[in-house]
Amino acid sequence: IELMDGTGACVDCESCLVGFRKCEVSKRERAHRELLVNNQPVKLRGVNRHEHEPDRGKAIGVLSMLYDIVLMKQSNFNAVRCSHYPNQSRWYDLCSIFGLYVVDEANLETHGFDPTLQYNEENPCCNPEWTAAIVERGTRMVGMNRNYPSIIIWSLGNEAGYGPAIAGMAGWIRDFDRTRPIQYEGGGSRTTSTDIICPMYARVDQITKLKEDRPIILCEYSHSMGNSTGNIHKYWHAFNSNPNLQGGFIWDWVDQGLRKEADGSANWLYGGDFGDSPNDAQFCINGLVFPDRIPHPAVAECKYLQSPITVALSDDKQRLVVRNHEFFSSFDDLCVKWVVCESGDPMDSSNRVGRADLSGTGIGPQETKEIALPGLPDLNRTRPSRERMLHVTVYRPKRHLWAPENFVIHSTTLPLSEEVVRCEAFVNGRPAASHEEAAEALDDLVLERHSWSDSEECLNVDSKQMSVGISLSSGEILRWRCHGHDLTSGDGGGPALNLFRACTDNDRGGSFGTSFASRWSKLGLGEMKLCDASVKYDEKVREAKEVEVTVRQTWKPAKEIGEEGEDLTSVNVTEVGGIHWFGREGNSDEEGIEEKEPEAEAFVDVPAKDVLIDVTIRYLVRSTRLQISFDVDLTSLRSVLSCQGKTSPSVPRLGIHMALPRSFNDICWYGRGPHECYPDRKESGLVRQWEAKVGDFPVKYVVPSESGGRADVRWAAISSDKVTLACFPADSDSFKLLNVSPYSERDVHSSNHWSEIQPSSSTHLHLDHFHMGVGGDDSWSPCVHKEYLVGPGKYSFGYHLQPFLKAAQE
């Protein structure tokens, strides 16, 4: 638009991007009212975004905006909520150019007036003196940004309660701009001032049982604080299964930490690091990406679950079923490639690899087509000796506005064999293909007792390949060698039972002692001490093909129950999970409220003096390997871990820890990877053989915590330059979790920044029979789902551990 003077000269001009689209909530004649964009009920794959840069704080530049948008698009996000204020004008232009739906939000939040969301009348929106100022926040936003086509929804603000001022803002916007619907979560998410039901941190069973004909879009869900974002697959199953559940916005995009260079390593600073008091500690550190935009592993999970394309096998496993979840785009510019793997390795035959160009398939929006898989029909007629899987990758061959050539949109692993063929040994440096191949000729073992120290006597079991020293007083393995090379170090040796992990931010979520971290601290779970032990073996035997040693141990907390210990509850948030949703009277459906576990009904109080852990360990020593089995009784922990029957109890993990010499620096595993994944956040992990350096396993979240795990591991092999130690589960198909680290659990757990932690003198190996999930429904209540807890029951599990010279595998 140009302003001309009388001579035709341009005095002033303005320009803006123009887009044409229609956005509305459908009429009641549909089975469910839906949010429609150009008459299509789109699913919002959204994320909340604060304006933040690590060096300039809120003074962000265009390059930062571009980086955010490109990374969002590459991670299959299609929507962003401007939380909690209108953004720079250039942001809306970029979203229009690159293709992101925007929820623009009025700069209104009064959470501090009603922190627990229980006293709505305290909010300024209920005070007439504030009405004009509050309404103006909405009118100024709409007047300023109404011409940006990327904005499809107006938000009236965030956590500001509900009253006449909010209703007045909604009325003004509806009258002024009838081209966009309105959303507002305050007041219980279901007031007349919102066209969209947009709850905050509502649980999956709440939103699926909700009786509501308006579209449901979560304005915030999956609180991604540190090692988090668990259970998100349940949300996306619900979104894809229910027409009126139209997605949501993950909280949130970026860790809002500030950069400080200290001692040559980057430290991210947060609340309290500036001498500020009071502060919210790390409660602004809850993004999917680090402050410098390096993605957390959870981004891979989001990308997988939010993929616009999914692939599956047909029932006869001879064709690939491809589904287009988009509402406007076809897949003419995508390609699919696949490879058949056995035990995680690609098969040699050329007909086990394929590629298809989707341009000829005509897979339009919301359509499903099948693609033939040459070679698979013959393969499926043979019974595999090893686990077979089809690895499928969907990619875009040509360069795109937000992606380079051959950019991967989606990848997945599809099982071809019905049964998992368990491997229990390495042969010639590789996993055995069958039980017959794994059979071994056993050499003689020599047993000898000798003094380990002035107060310790040890049983030595020696062969030509291996030597094991077992304490006759505690039953612990004091020394383990393979051809003279140590497999244990001085940091705890092992393998030994381990129940503890360095607490995550979600572990610390809760109040009044209900957080998992508080319960573990009260129990002294990280500091258990041995109070009784007995060791039995056949003392008459001096030589044998195999030796069995039985150890019975009793462990108890190193401190009295209830005794003050270290502070594990630095995140002290007093909100109750879910109160955003059903906290206001009259705003919930009875069947939509999350049911509580009837823990109290089965609860039997146990006196503190009787909190004991009984463990039976059986060592079966052979000339080339060590087999260990555990029987563990955790039932006496129930009282403390359940807060006297009020909450679901869990220990962090159940497995073994080994402290290997620091020279063990290379690891190979067959299981999910390549990135970090945990029992409740593992859908994106591809089941293959992977390799990594030990130092690359830990994820250095801003606040140090448990990290780096890999789920569903069939076997693992960790190596030094001389020796490899192969590890297999004895009583299950896989370890629930594998982890290795150059840092000790204790050091990580007790530190606030990574600059405070030095690598230990050992490589720490964790093989977990069970490992608790990381949670993520919120970060202020114990939110790990029951199926991902490790309850205080009785457990039996075991391991095959096989060391061999590295030269034997070359």
Side-chain angles (χ1 to χ4, degrees):
I1 298 176
E2 292 184 339
L3 176 65
M4 316 292 288
D5 64 12
T7 66
C10 178
V11 177
D12 196 7
C13 65
E14 290 288 342
S15 66
C16 68
L17 294 174
V18 176
F20 297 91
R21 55 103 187 93
K22 180 182 180 182
C23 185
E24 62 181 340
V25 173
S26 63
K27 308 302 180 185
R28 294 185 183 274
E29 57 261 22
R30 292 180 178 238
H32 297 283
R33 298 175 67 194
E34 297 167 316
L35 172 69
L36 303 179
V37 176
N38 293 338
N39 299 315
Q40 296 298 322
V42 297
K43 298 281 186 183
L44 298 188
R45 309 188 296 265
V47 65
N48 286 272
R49 173 184 173 270
H50 272 290
E51 292 182 313
H52 179 79
E53 283 189 10
D55 299 304
R56 301 196 298 176
K58 300 301 180 186
I60 65 172
V62 174
L63 285 178
S64 174
M65 298 182 207
L66 279 169
Y67 204 96
D68 280 351
I69 289 176
V70 168
L71 190 51
M72 288 177 187
K73 293 291 289 185
Q74 290 181 350
S75 304
N76 290 329
F77 288 97
N78 69 356
V80 62
R81 176 182 176 221
C82 297
S83 52
H84 301 293
Y85 38 79
N87 284 196
Q88 291 188 38
S89 58
R90 188 63 60 87
W91 172 254
Y92 304 105
D93 281 336
L94 292 172
C95 288
S96 298
I97 292 170
F98 283 82
L100 280 177
Y101 297 125
V102 175
V103 175
D104 205 17
E105 189 155 274
N107 185 12
L108 175 65
E109 177 164 351
T110 61
H111 197 176
F113 286 85
D114 180 20
T116 60
L117 303 179
Q118 298 180 72
Y119 305 101
N120 181 69
E121 65 278 2
E122 300 294 329
N123 282 290
C125 67
C126 299
N127 186 336
E129 294 181 3
W130 285 96
T131 299
I134 289 173
V135 172
E136 188 181 36
R137 294 294 174 104
T139 61
R140 288 167 63 88
M141 172 186 69
V142 175
M144 177 175 62
N145 295 335
R146 65 186 184 275
N147 288 327
Y148 293 110
S150 56
I151 299 174
I152 63 170
I153 299 170
W154 299 118
S155 170
L156 305 182
N158 181 73
E159 293 178 331
Y162 186 71
I166 301 295
M169 187 198 302
W172 188 94
I173 294 175
R174 282 175 174 151
D175 186 67
F176 184 85
D177 179 16
R178 302 183 183 185
T179 68
R180 297 176 177 93
I182 291 172
Q183 73 172 44
Y184 183 61
E185 181 270 340
S189 305
R190 301 173 69 180
T191 67
T192 56
S193 293
T194 184
D195 302 315
I196 296 166
I197 306 302
C198 54
M200 185 181 290
Y201 306 108
R203 305 308 197 239
V204 171
D205 64 339
Q206 292 174 318
I207 58 177
T208 54
K209 296 176 182 178
L210 180 64
K211 296 177 181 178
E212 177 62 59
D213 71 341
R214 284 174 285 184
I216 301 170
I217 301 172
L218 296 168
C219 71
E220 295 178 22
Y221 80 106
S222 197
H223 199 267
S224 299
M225 190 172 180
N227 189 357
S228 183
T229 326
N231 314 315
I232 191 174
H233 62 288
K234 294 186 178 182
Y235 282 100
W236 274 99
H237 176 75
F239 296 157
N240 291 327
S241 304
N242 297 272
N244 69 325
L245 298 182
Q246 289 188 252
F249 295 84
I250 294 170
W251 188 270
D252 65 350
W253 177 243
V254 60
D255 288 335
Q256 296 174 69
L258 298 174
R259 193 193 315 266
K260 178 184 179 182
E261 297 294 334
D263 301 325
S265 61
N267 247 356
W268 300 116
L269 305 185
Y270 50 87
D273 288 333
F274 307 92
D276 50 314
S277 181
N279 62 74
D280 270 343
Q282 67 265 46
F283 221 74
C284 282
I285 308 296
N286 40 33
L288 288 171
V289 300
F290 287 96
D292 57 1
R293 271 51 177 187
I294 301 299
H296 290 191
V299 171
E301 192 80 352
C302 297
K303 178 178 180 177
Y304 178 89
L305 295 169
Q306 298 176 160
S307 173
I309 184 172
T310 54
V311 293
L313 282 171
S314 60
D315 291 340
D316 59 5
K317 297 187 177 180
Q318 296 182 18
R319 294 176 303 281
L320 202 61
V321 181
V322 182
R323 170 71 175 171
N324 181 354
H325 293 274
E326 295 282 32
F327 285 90
F328 303 105
S329 304
S330 63
F331 286 155
D332 294 341
D333 60 342
L334 299 184
C335 290
V336 179
K337 62 181 179 181
W338 61 86
V339 59
V340 179
C341 293
E342 282 195 341
S343 294
D345 268 342
M347 295 184 69
D348 295 333
S349 180
S350 60
N351 67 349
R352 309 309 184 213
V353 179
R355 179 185 179 278
D357 188 337
L358 297 185
S359 59
T361 60
I363 306 178
Q366 296 293 298
E367 289 185 353
T368 301
K369 294 290 178 67
E370 293 187 352
I371 300 173
L373 295 169
L376 281 194
D378 294 336
L379 184 66
N380 288 333
R381 280 193 284 268
T382 64
R383 182 175 178 82
S385 60
R386 299 194 294 173
E387 185 177 25
R388 283 181 184 163
M389 291 198 172
L390 185 71
H391 296 266
V392 183
T393 302
V394 182
Y395 65 100
R396 178 175 279 114
K398 296 181 179 179
R399 184 179 178 183
H400 196 270
L401 179 63
W402 45 264
E405 293 180 359
N406 298 319
F407 181 77
V408 174
I409 304 296
H410 180 68
S411 56
T412 190
T413 308
L414 305 173
L416 291 171
S417 54
E418 297 296 333
E419 299 178 1
V420 176
V421 180
R422 197 160 67 216
C423 174
E424 296 180 352
F426 267 46
V427 177
N428 297 323
R430 301 295 300 166
S434 65
H435 295 295
E436 291 76 16
E437 185 182 354
E440 58 188 323
L442 300 179
D443 294 333
D444 286 335
L445 297 169
V446 177
L447 282 71
E448 182 183 7
R449 296 175 67 130
H450 73 93
S451 296
W452 176 260
S453 65
D454 291 340
S455 59
E456 186 94 62
E457 194 172 16
C458 175
L459 172 67
N460 266 6
V461 183
D462 297 324
S463 71
K464 294 178 181 178
Q465 295 96 333
M466 199 174 75
S467 174
V468 179
I470 302 171
S471 167
L472 291 174
S473 58
S474 68
E476 297 172 302
I477 292 180
L478 301 174
R479 185 189 67 244
W480 188 12
R481 290 176 178 166
C482 174
H483 291 279
H485 300 287
D486 283 327
L487 297 171
T488 56
S489 76
D491 280 9
L497 180 68
N498 186 28
L499 305 175
F500 192 65
R501 74 182 183 191
C503 288
T504 66
D505 291 321
N506 287 349
D507 290 341
R508 295 180 168 96
S511 56
F512 307 111
T514 62
S515 73
F516 286 113
S518 291
R519 289 180 262 166
W520 300 337
S521 177
K522 183 178 180 181
L523 184 62
L525 199 59
E527 305 169 7
M528 304 297 286
K529 68 178 181 180
L530 184 66
C531 59
D532 189 32
S534 66
V535 180
K536 292 184 178 180
Y537 68 99
D538 191 342
E539 299 185 30
K540 298 178 181 179
V541 175
R542 291 291 176 264
E543 293 187 8
K545 297 294 184 183
E546 59 182 33
V547 174
E548 182 172 328
V549 180
T550 300
V551 179
R552 301 191 188 279
Q553 299 175 333
T554 300
W555 295 81
K556 70 176 183 178
K559 61 184 181 183
E560 293 299 319
I561 302 298
E563 182 182 329
E564 290 297 321
E566 61 182 309
D567 179 17
L568 299 181
T569 56
S570 60
V571 177
N572 183 22
V573 181
T574 56
E575 292 178 356
V576 179
I579 198 168
H580 293 88
W581 175 232
F582 55 80
R584 269 181 70 86
E585 183 180 356
N587 279 320
S588 61
D589 294 331
E590 182 177 355
E591 60 269 45
I593 298 177
E594 191 174 16
E595 294 182 2
K596 302 300 180 183
E597 279 300 312
E599 196 66 48
E601 296 179 8
F603 171 74
V604 178
D605 197 9
V606 176
K609 64 182 179 63
D610 294 330
V611 176
L612 302 171
I613 299 175
D614 291 323
V615 181
T616 299
I617 307 171
R618 294 178 180 85
Y619 300 114
L620 185 62
V621 185
R622 293 176 176 172
S623 57
T624 60
R625 68 165 65 191
L626 174 64
Q627 182 175 333
I628 309 176
S629 62
F630 289 86
D631 293 315
V632 182
D633 186 355
L634 303 177
T635 53
S636 69
L637 308 185
R638 177 174 294 272
S639 173
V640 177
L641 291 180
S642 65
C643 292
Q644 287 70 49
K646 298 175 184 177
T647 59
S648 296
S650 181
V651 294
R653 64 175 4 131
L654 181 64
I656 61 171
H657 164 258
M658 282 189 66
L660 301 163
R662 190 66 187 89
S663 56
F664 281 79
N665 195 42
D666 298 290
I667 185 156
C668 175
W669 74 98
Y670 174 35
R672 294 190 183 270
H675 53 268
E676 171 196 271
C677 45
Y678 279 79
D680 55 354
R681 197 193 72 224
K682 64 179 183 180
E683 299 298 307
S684 60
L686 303 179
V687 180
R688 294 195 68 162
Q689 285 190 34
W690 305 101
E691 295 180 356
K693 294 291 185 181
V694 168
D696 294 334
F697 250 59
V699 177
K700 294 190 176 181
Y701 293 106
V702 173
V703 179
S705 74
E706 162 69 31
S707 70
R710 304 299 195 270
D712 299 337
V713 173
R714 278 69 164 162
W715 55 259
I718 185 167
S719 302
S720 68
D721 57 345
K722 302 291 185 182
V723 181
T724 294
L725 176 64
C727 311
F728 312 89
D731 302 304
S732 61
D733 294 331
S734 63
F735 303 121
K736 273 292 188 290
L737 204 78
L738 159 74
N739 210 338
V740 290
S741 177
Y743 306 104
S744 75
E745 229 169 32
R746 250 309 122 190
D747 289 345
V748 173
H749 176 69
S750 60
S751 300
N752 294 318
H753 299 91
W754 281 97
S755 63
E756 302 167 10
I757 308 173
Q758 297 298 319
S760 77
S761 59
S762 302
T763 291
H764 299 273
L765 172 66
H766 297 272
L767 302 171
D768 292 336
H769 179 66
F770 285 115
H771 194 104
M772 194 177 99
V774 294
D777 290 354
D778 64 44
S779 296
W780 45 87
S781 67
C783 62
V784 177
H785 291 198
K786 183 178 180 181
E787 62 268 36
Y788 303 118
L789 298 177
V790 186
K794 296 181 179 181
Y795 297 91
S796 296
F797 55 98
Y799 304 86
H800 296 287
L801 304 176
Q802 178 192 3
F804 52 88
L805 285 178
K806 199 169 183 181
Q809 66 187 45
E810 296 174 350

